[in-house]
Amino acid sequence: MRPEAPMSQVFSEETHRNLLARIPHCTGREVSDWLRTVDEGPALGFEEKVTWLRHEHNLAYGHAKAIIHEYDLRRAARKLL
């Protein structure tokens, strides 16, 4: 079971996985590239990061939320180690 990131549960696990799987096809970039972009981007809250990705990188709302949610999940998992 994956750790939950606080305040960033946005989709069911299945919907989240499906969105992540489509991101490379829809954006031309791997999810790992997007996660690096978020990590190097401005320090913002969840919704502000979603808005930043949408406006700065022309992402669809669902894809931006899925990327930020995945980023938060992975960051929370690193804190548990």
Side-chain angles (χ1 to χ4, degrees):
M1 179 128 207
R2 296 173 62 138
E4 291 296 320
M7 297 181 59
S8 64
Q9 182 64 38
V10 292
F11 306 113
S12 71
E13 183 68 21
E14 180 182 1
T15 299
H16 178 65
R17 292 283 133 227
N18 289 337
L19 280 166
L20 286 181
R22 289 195 311 257
I23 285 171
H25 174 73
C26 294
T27 68
R29 291 177 62 185
E30 294 297 322
V31 171
S32 59
D33 293 337
W34 286 113
L35 296 176
R36 242 185 327 278
T37 297
V38 173
D39 197 46
E40 295 167 357
L44 302 167
F46 184 86
E47 287 298 330
E48 291 82 10
K49 286 179 188 175
V50 170
T51 300
W52 174 74
L53 277 180
R54 292 183 66 215
H55 293 177
E56 291 295 318
H57 299 282
N58 201 31
L59 287 179
Y61 181 72
H63 290 148
K65 281 190 100 160
I67 289 167
I68 300 303
H69 182 58
E70 185 67 16
Y71 178 83
D72 285 351
L73 285 172
R74 292 184 186 196
R75 188 177 64 184
R78 282 192 306 263
K79 287 182 180 179
L80 293 175
L81 297 177

